[in-house]
Structure formats: C-alpha cells, structure tokens
Amino acid sequence: MSLSFVAAPRGGASAHPRSVPRHPVVETLRPYLADPDVTDVFVNGDGALFIDRGRGIARIDGWSVDAAAARDLAVGLIALGGRHLDDATPCADVRWDGGIRVHAVLPPIACAGTTISIRLPGTGVPDLDDLGRRGAFDAATGDRLAGLVAGRENVLVTGATGAGKTTLLAALLGRVPPHERIVTIEDVAELRIAHPHHVRLEARQANLEGVGAIPLGRLLREALRMRPDRLVVGECRGEEVRELLTALNTGHDGGAGTVHASGLDEVPARLEALGALAGMDDRALARQVVSAIGAVVHIERGADGIRRVTGIARPVLDGDRLGMRVRS
C-alpha cells in the first residue's frame, strides 16, 4: 500500500517555548524542556543526558551529573508532580501541569544508576489540514482520513511507543463537528483537541497507602453516563478493552482509541492479549472487534525518526479469529 505520513518538526514559525514549572530543580534541564522541538529528555544511569528532537536520540555533550545529583534530580522532579520517590518506592510516574510526563527509577532497580525519562507534549494543537500542508499526505489521503471522522467510523489508531498515535488521533478529532460532545479517557491526559466541547478524564494512581486509584475501566463506565457523541480512550492497555468494545457496539459511533502494536499484522494478537485480560476468548473478541471497529490506522516511526502511516485496514473474521484486511 502506498501511503505515507511524515510528521513535520515541532518547530517553525508557529512554535513557541513550552511552559515549564518555575522551580530550582528544573533549571539544569530547562533549556531542553522548553525547546518546542524536543519530544523526549533522558538522564541515563551514567549521568549522561540525551534528547530527541523528532529525528532520533542524541547525546548532549558536556552535560553530566554524578550519582547523588542524579538521585536528587529524580526525587525533585517526581515531587513536582505530587508523588514520592525513595528506596521504599523506587519507581514513580507523574504528570506536571501542561502535560509533561516524568518517569524515574532509582537503583538498585535501575542497575546502572538513577534513570529519568521525560515525555514532552507538542506546543500546538494538531490539525489535519496543517499536516497535509506540511506534506504529511496528499489531498486524496487527507480526504480519506477526514471521511473516517465525517462518516462516524469507529477508528483504532495503532503504533509503537512514540510513533505519533496521540498526534494523529488529536488531528482526526479536530474534525469532529463543533455541536458534538467528545469525552476522552486517558491514563495521562495528553490529547489536546481544537474542539469547543471536549471533556477530559484522567486515571488516578493509588496513593502511598495503596488506595484511591481510579483506572481507565472505571472512567470508561463513568463516561458512558455523560452522553458522549464521541467516546475516546487514549490507549487500551488492559481489561478496559472489554468496556470500550461494548460501548462502541451499543450506539456510540464515531469513537476512537489507540492500542500499542508494532505493525498492522500484530494488531490481532495484541487485541487478543488484551481481551484475555478481560476474560474474553479469541472468538468473542474477534466478533466484538469486527462489529465495533470500522478502521485501523497504523503509524510507525522509522529508524530515521520520521513518523509515517503505513496502512489503513478493516478488522475481519478469519474463521473464529481476528484478522486485518487492507482498505482500498
């Protein structure tokens, strides 16, 4: 299939510095966190700093911290998100205001030393027309993608971590008519949509006592009571796939979600694995998916750092199992 989506760099005339918390612990990383072109920042166990500007990960020469400073940095960054990081809780994940995600792991869990991973949101709102003008796809492909939204197809966007699933999904949702109500459910609220009626729900982790967690499955059930015209799950990672498929099979057309998969041919196995977590056998899962999902759009990030849509498929039954058929 000849189809290409190339994600343009985040910079340019419309880019602006990213909002970063004003706190001393952030200062050593501020130039990279505020850069609108940077998508990821990493501090490795050896104290080295790496960043990704959308074209692959590169080391920052001359930047380093010792083991004690790396630990203090990780503890401080996690504290900014309201959580605690210490020997008793050596792994933590938080979201700062503005959507910056910070994950940290202390030794000895991180064998080589403290490891910090920071995911940075874009500084603009993705727009399907803008992606087309940047050469992301031709007019025919743009019409095709917009047609999925206008036709109220339930769309599943698939790809690996960092492939651009959220960006593409947000651009598609920007085409939803303004009189419709979009309810989005995410582990970490990242979707930013150019739409006047967007309700955002975010899962909550348990507190230090291990209580208070609100998982995606619970949020999905709550969202069904909010009369959504478009129901969106940022990423299905477990048993909530059952609730999503049930919802999309009961009149909630025009919904969407994302699932982690390395290729279109791996999507059936991935969905079967999620279905197993929800107590669904392969036969039941296949029939639910074929009935609920109208199109699967797969996006990949190549070795050169460029993100491309590599296929659009339709779920089909292959005997009693789930299969994929490329949409012409």
Side-chain angles (χ1 to χ4, degrees):
M1 183 179 183
S2 177
L3 180 64
S4 178
F5 175 104
V6 181
R10 295 189 181 197
S14 61
H16 53 83
R18 184 180 288 108
S19 176
V20 179
R22 290 290 177 186
H23 192 281
V25 74
V26 178
E27 292 310 307
T28 185
L29 297 176
R30 181 176 297 280
Y32 312 105
L33 300 181
D35 186 337
D37 288 341
V38 175
T39 63
D40 297 89
V41 174
F42 308 101
V43 177
N44 286 354
D46 59 0
L49 178 69
F50 292 79
I51 68 170
D52 189 345
R53 285 193 169 94
R55 295 283 177 172
I57 297 172
R59 182 169 182 164
I60 300 298
D61 293 332
W63 196 103
S64 66
V65 290
D66 61 25
R71 181 187 177 99
D72 290 344
L73 178 61
V75 170
L77 295 176
I78 293 297
L80 282 179
R83 299 201 70 198
H84 192 62
L85 188 70
D86 59 14
D87 291 338
T89 310
C91 308
D93 180 65
V94 298
R95 181 179 69 87
W96 297 346
D97 290 342
I100 296 176
R101 296 173 60 179
V102 182
H103 178 264
V105 184
L106 298 179
I109 306 301
C111 299
T114 299
T115 300
I116 304 169
S117 305
I118 304 175
R119 295 291 306 276
L120 301 166
T123 57
V125 178
D127 178 81
L128 205 59
D129 285 338
D130 286 344
L131 295 179
R133 284 191 290 268
R134 295 171 185 170
F137 39 74
D138 59 23
T141 301
D143 288 344
R144 220 175 142 199
L145 293 171
L148 295 176
V149 180
R152 298 190 62 83
E153 293 263 21
N154 290 327
V155 177
L156 189 66
V157 179
T158 63
T161 300
K165 300 187 296 295
T166 300
T167 298
L168 179 57
L169 178 58
L172 291 170
L173 292 173
R175 287 302 186 91
V176 171
H179 63 272
E180 295 186 10
R181 176 178 172 88
I182 302 174
V183 179
T184 60
I185 303 162
E186 299 175 87
D187 236 353
V188 176
E190 294 181 296
L191 277 168
R192 290 182 296 177
I193 305 167
H195 194 275
H197 200 167
H198 175 201
V199 178
R200 307 169 74 196
L201 301 179
E202 181 181 62
R204 188 172 70 186
Q205 298 174 326
N207 61 20
L208 291 176
E209 287 74 39
V211 298
I214 302 179
L216 290 180
R218 165 71 184 279
L219 288 181
L220 188 50
R221 292 190 291 274
E222 297 298 328
L224 291 173
R225 301 182 177 97
M226 301 172 72
R227 215 225 74 179
D229 294 300
R230 308 269 182 160
L231 183 63
V232 179
V233 177
E235 182 166 355
C236 284
R237 299 181 181 179
E239 62 184 18
E240 66 273 359
V241 70
R242 176 183 54 214
E243 281 79 13
L244 175 63
L245 293 174
T246 300
L248 296 182
N249 271 314
T250 54
H252 289 84
D253 295 330
T258 71
V259 165
H260 186 284
S262 297
L264 269 179
D265 57 346
E266 296 183 14
V267 172
R270 175 62 173 161
L271 290 173
E272 287 175 355
L274 297 179
L277 294 174
M280 303 173 68
D281 62 29
D282 293 346
R283 184 174 183 273
L285 184 280
R287 280 160 172 72
Q288 286 284 307
V289 171
V290 169
S291 177
I293 305 298
V296 177
V297 180
H298 188 74
I299 185 168
E300 294 183 359
R301 178 175 179 174
D304 56 2
I306 298 176
R307 297 166 172 88
R308 300 177 177 91
V309 167
T310 58
I312 301 176
R314 177 169 55 88
V316 296
L317 287 176
D318 184 4
D320 282 339
R321 302 289 294 276
L322 179 63
M324 292 287 156
R325 180 176 299 162
V326 173
R327 289 174 61 130
S328 58

